[in-house]
Amino acid sequence: MPATARLLRVDPLAPDPATIADAAAVLAGGGLVALPTETVYGLGASASDADAVRRVFAAKRRPADNPLICHVADVDGLAALALRVTPLAAELAATWWPGPLTLVVDAAPGLPAETTGGLDSVAVRVPAHPVALAVLRISGLAVAAPSANRSGRPSPTTAEHVLADLGGEVDLVLDAGPSPIGVESTVVDARGDRPVLLRPGAVTAEDLGLDLEQTSDPTHEHATDLGAAESGRSPGTRYRHYAPVTPLLVAARDGGAELAAQAAAGGRRVGLVAPGAVPPGVIGLAAPIGATALAAVLFAALRRADALGLDALVVEAVDDAGIGRAVMDRLRRAAAPG
Ligand code: TXA
Ligand code: MG
């Protein structure tokens, strides 16, 4: 195991072929490569290499029953991993790939149980980031890649975040700058006739034509808010995620500055993520306008609050619609008591 990862800068608009070939060779040799994607950075290993995938779980300290997403270059890569590609999966892939949508399908026999978490299904996506896509195309591999954070930490949106969590355990980090979207992919169960939303993301429920009443699981307390994500059908959503050390307060819309000013009373060091002016005595971390902009800065702000050792972080809510549904899902989880 290397003491520190090799770090290579790569231009996201014109990835250097030698760097891509280097990453492909590390993966083919059973190594771990942190890859930029359009959502967040992933910790990649060859999906067919059980030993390499075990190293991913060990590096992240991830529970073994929480399966990984397999990244492939194109829809043929999906067909190779799936027992069957349903008409729904084919249609969603044709519409949204490459892009931030993960499809759960029945798994082909022969995939290591390490990759699927022992389930008979597998989660697959074609990422839209030129660097990730180039590595997948050149290597010809299916690459199992969870977010490249230590389990329970916010997902990484920069190479620095990856190094902070996993610098001692990853062989190579490709640094292509900040992840453009900033929240993880939408996960959809595509085994039936209609998509079932397991995790909200940048491909929205509205994009998928989902009637939110129908996507929710009425047997579950949070079903209306979170679709099926809390119902246990997506194993990863059972765990508390995205947890900053700094206590997180979610303010109502237009209420961020006031809540932060109150929290800062008595000299407490309070950070604020909200559009508009930062009140005196409060530390402004980001001023995103709208849900897309908040998605892009949220995880970095959670990490920054911890790095600064703040007493509290206030994040102002956005509308629970479109990508705002994904942002509010991550915020609720991060704010939930341990
Ligand atoms: O945007 C993303 O999806 C990023 C980048 C790197 O691609 N990856 C990512 O992976 O977020 P991870 O491991 O942090 O999240 C994978 C999610 C978990 O909630 C996991 O439980 C779910 O996908 N998942 C994986 N396989 C599944 C399956 N067979 N059935 C249901 N859910 C599954
Ligand atoms: Mg993750």
Side-chain angles (χ1 to χ4, degrees):
M1 200 180 284
T4 45
R6 272 196 306 138
L7 177 72
L8 293 176
R9 280 275 324 159
V10 50
D11 181 347
L13 299 177
D16 171 30
T19 305
I20 300 301
D22 190 340
V26 173
L27 289 166
L32 306 191
V33 178
L35 290 168
T37 85
E38 76 278 30
T39 57
V40 300
Y41 277 70
L43 178 62
S46 170
S48 61
D49 184 333
D51 289 335
V53 173
R54 267 196 294 274
R55 283 183 62 203
V56 169
F57 279 89
K60 283 184 59 88
R61 318 251 196 283
R62 180 176 175 112
D65 64 352
N66 187 6
L68 307 183
I69 294 173
C70 293
H71 297 68
V72 295
D74 52 35
V75 74
D76 292 341
L78 169 67
L81 296 174
L83 183 63
R84 72 182 68 79
V85 177
T86 58
L88 174 64
E91 183 197 319
L92 292 171
T95 306
W96 297 105
W97 285 356
L101 178 68
T102 295
L103 301 176
V104 173
V105 294
D106 288 319
L111 269 176
E114 283 79 359
T115 300
T116 60
L119 300 177
D120 56 10
S121 58
V122 62
V124 185
R125 86 176 184 103
V126 177
H129 196 289
V131 172
L133 209 44
V135 171
L136 294 166
R137 286 184 177 145
I138 295 301
S139 70
L141 295 170
V143 173
S147 50
N149 53 292
R150 186 85 73 192
S151 251
R153 301 273 302 139
S155 288
T157 54
T158 67
E160 292 71 36
H161 298 161
V162 176
L163 291 171
D165 281 16
L166 304 174
E169 279 128 314
V170 53
D171 297 299
L172 175 63
V173 178
L174 298 187
D175 177 1
S179 305
I181 293 175
V183 292
E184 308 86 345
S185 64
T186 307
V187 181
V188 155
D189 187 339
R191 287 174 291 182
D193 296 334
R194 298 178 52 81
V196 176
L197 184 63
L198 301 179
R199 181 175 73 182
V203 174
T204 66
E206 292 85 346
D207 287 333
L208 296 168
L210 292 177
D211 172 347
L212 287 166
E213 292 305 310
Q214 288 182 23
T215 62
S216 54
D217 176 348
T219 62
H220 196 279
E221 203 184 354
H222 301 299
T224 307
D225 288 331
L226 298 172
E230 287 278 316
S231 71
R233 272 179 283 176
S234 190
T237 55
R238 283 200 304 269
Y239 302 101
R240 184 179 178 224
H241 266 186
Y242 320 111
V245 176
T246 310
L248 175 65
L249 304 171
V250 181
R253 288 205 60 174
D254 299 323
E258 193 183 333
L259 184 61
Q262 282 166 12
R268 282 161 42 92
R269 296 174 65 236
V270 174
L272 176 62
V273 177
V278 179
V282 169
I283 300 157
L285 295 186
I289 298 173
T292 301
L294 177 56
V297 299
L298 178 63
F299 288 150
L302 298 181
R303 284 175 178 266
R304 186 90 188 111
D306 285 352
L308 292 171
L310 299 183
D311 296 310
L313 173 65
V314 173
V315 179
E316 189 170 300
V318 291
D319 277 345
D320 213 340
I323 195 176
R325 205 182 305 282
V327 173
M328 292 308 296
D329 169 64
R330 303 326 187 254
L331 270 177
R332 286 187 200 100
R333 290 168 193 283

PDB file of all heavy atoms in Angstrom, residues 60 62 147 149 155 184 199 241, ligand 2:
ATOM      1  N   LYS A  60     -12.361   2.835   2.277  1.00  0.00           N
ATOM      2  CA  LYS A  60     -13.472   3.705   2.683  1.00  0.00           C
ATOM      3  C   LYS A  60     -14.013   3.375   4.073  1.00  0.00           C
ATOM      4  O   LYS A  60     -14.803   4.130   4.628  1.00  0.00           O
ATOM      5  CB  LYS A  60     -14.642   3.570   1.691  1.00  0.00           C
ATOM      6  CG  LYS A  60     -14.450   4.312   0.380  1.00  0.00           C
ATOM      7  CD  LYS A  60     -15.694   4.181  -0.483  1.00  0.00           C
ATOM      8  CE  LYS A  60     -16.966   4.712   0.126  1.00  0.00           C
ATOM      9  NZ  LYS A  60     -17.253   6.118  -0.104  1.00  0.00           N
ATOM     10  N   ARG A  62     -16.106   0.962   4.430  1.00  0.00           N
ATOM     11  CA  ARG A  62     -17.512   0.887   4.015  1.00  0.00           C
ATOM     12  C   ARG A  62     -18.083  -0.473   4.392  1.00  0.00           C
ATOM     13  O   ARG A  62     -17.429  -1.492   4.185  1.00  0.00           O
ATOM     14  CB  ARG A  62     -17.580   1.070   2.502  1.00  0.00           C
ATOM     15  CG  ARG A  62     -18.977   1.012   1.877  1.00  0.00           C
ATOM     16  CD  ARG A  62     -18.821   1.308   0.402  1.00  0.00           C
ATOM     17  NE  ARG A  62     -20.014   1.193  -0.389  1.00  0.00           N
ATOM     18  CZ  ARG A  62     -20.628   2.230  -0.961  1.00  0.00           C
ATOM     19  NH1 ARG A  62     -20.181   3.447  -0.748  1.00  0.00           N
ATOM     20  NH2 ARG A  62     -21.676   2.043  -1.725  1.00  0.00           N
ATOM     21  N   SER A 147     -18.293   6.892  -4.180  1.00  0.00           N
ATOM     22  CA  SER A 147     -17.704   8.199  -3.935  1.00  0.00           C
ATOM     23  C   SER A 147     -16.412   8.017  -3.126  1.00  0.00           C
ATOM     24  O   SER A 147     -16.336   7.160  -2.253  1.00  0.00           O
ATOM     25  CB  SER A 147     -18.701   9.082  -3.195  1.00  0.00           C
ATOM     26  OG  SER A 147     -19.224   8.406  -2.059  1.00  0.00           O
ATOM     27  N   ASN A 149     -14.792   9.176  -0.690  1.00  0.00           N
ATOM     28  CA  ASN A 149     -14.698   9.715   0.664  1.00  0.00           C
ATOM     29  C   ASN A 149     -14.599   8.552   1.654  1.00  0.00           C
ATOM     30  O   ASN A 149     -15.007   7.438   1.347  1.00  0.00           O
ATOM     31  CB  ASN A 149     -15.960  10.529   0.992  1.00  0.00           C
ATOM     32  CG  ASN A 149     -17.226   9.728   0.739  1.00  0.00           C
ATOM     33  OD1 ASN A 149     -17.552   9.425  -0.412  1.00  0.00           O
ATOM     34  ND2 ASN A 149     -17.921   9.351   1.800  1.00  0.00           N
ATOM     35  N   SER A 155     -19.236  13.504   0.382  1.00  0.00           N
ATOM     36  CA  SER A 155     -18.604  13.061  -0.865  1.00  0.00           C
ATOM     37  C   SER A 155     -17.598  14.116  -1.328  1.00  0.00           C
ATOM     38  O   SER A 155     -17.795  15.311  -1.126  1.00  0.00           O
ATOM     39  CB  SER A 155     -19.667  12.850  -1.945  1.00  0.00           C
ATOM     40  OG  SER A 155     -20.428  11.709  -1.663  1.00  0.00           O
ATOM     41  N   GLU A 184     -24.214  13.354  -5.805  1.00  0.00           N
ATOM     42  CA  GLU A 184     -24.087  12.062  -6.457  1.00  0.00           C
ATOM     43  C   GLU A 184     -25.252  11.812  -7.422  1.00  0.00           C
ATOM     44  O   GLU A 184     -26.309  12.429  -7.315  1.00  0.00           O
ATOM     45  CB  GLU A 184     -24.050  10.933  -5.419  1.00  0.00           C
ATOM     46  CG  GLU A 184     -23.016  11.109  -4.315  1.00  0.00           C
ATOM     47  CD  GLU A 184     -23.531  11.938  -3.155  1.00  0.00           C
ATOM     48  OE1 GLU A 184     -24.564  12.627  -3.298  1.00  0.00           O
ATOM     49  OE2 GLU A 184     -22.892  11.907  -2.089  1.00  0.00           O
ATOM     50  N   ARG A 199     -32.473   7.188  -5.099  1.00  0.00           N
ATOM     51  CA  ARG A 199     -31.690   8.315  -4.569  1.00  0.00           C
ATOM     52  C   ARG A 199     -31.859   9.488  -5.519  1.00  0.00           C
ATOM     53  O   ARG A 199     -31.576   9.356  -6.708  1.00  0.00           O
ATOM     54  CB  ARG A 199     -30.200   7.929  -4.469  1.00  0.00           C
ATOM     55  CG  ARG A 199     -29.326   9.042  -3.907  1.00  0.00           C
ATOM     56  CD  ARG A 199     -27.879   8.611  -3.698  1.00  0.00           C
ATOM     57  NE  ARG A 199     -27.142   8.470  -4.962  1.00  0.00           N
ATOM     58  CZ  ARG A 199     -25.874   8.065  -5.053  1.00  0.00           C
ATOM     59  NH1 ARG A 199     -25.203   7.748  -3.954  1.00  0.00           N
ATOM     60  NH2 ARG A 199     -25.288   7.971  -6.224  1.00  0.00           N
ATOM     61  N   HIS A 241     -25.238   9.545   6.189  1.00  0.00           N
ATOM     62  CA  HIS A 241     -24.224   9.936   5.210  1.00  0.00           C
ATOM     63  C   HIS A 241     -23.840  11.381   5.404  1.00  0.00           C
ATOM     64  O   HIS A 241     -24.472  12.096   6.154  1.00  0.00           O
ATOM     65  CB  HIS A 241     -24.804   9.796   3.809  1.00  0.00           C
ATOM     66  CG  HIS A 241     -24.493   8.473   3.176  1.00  0.00           C
ATOM     67  ND1 HIS A 241     -24.802   8.179   1.894  1.00  0.00           N
ATOM     68  CD2 HIS A 241     -23.893   7.372   3.675  1.00  0.00           C
ATOM     69  CE1 HIS A 241     -24.417   6.959   1.596  1.00  0.00           C
ATOM     70  NE2 HIS A 241     -23.876   6.447   2.667  1.00  0.00           N
TER      71      HIS A 241
HETATM   72 MG    MG B   2     -21.040   7.641  -1.278  1.00  0.00          MG
END
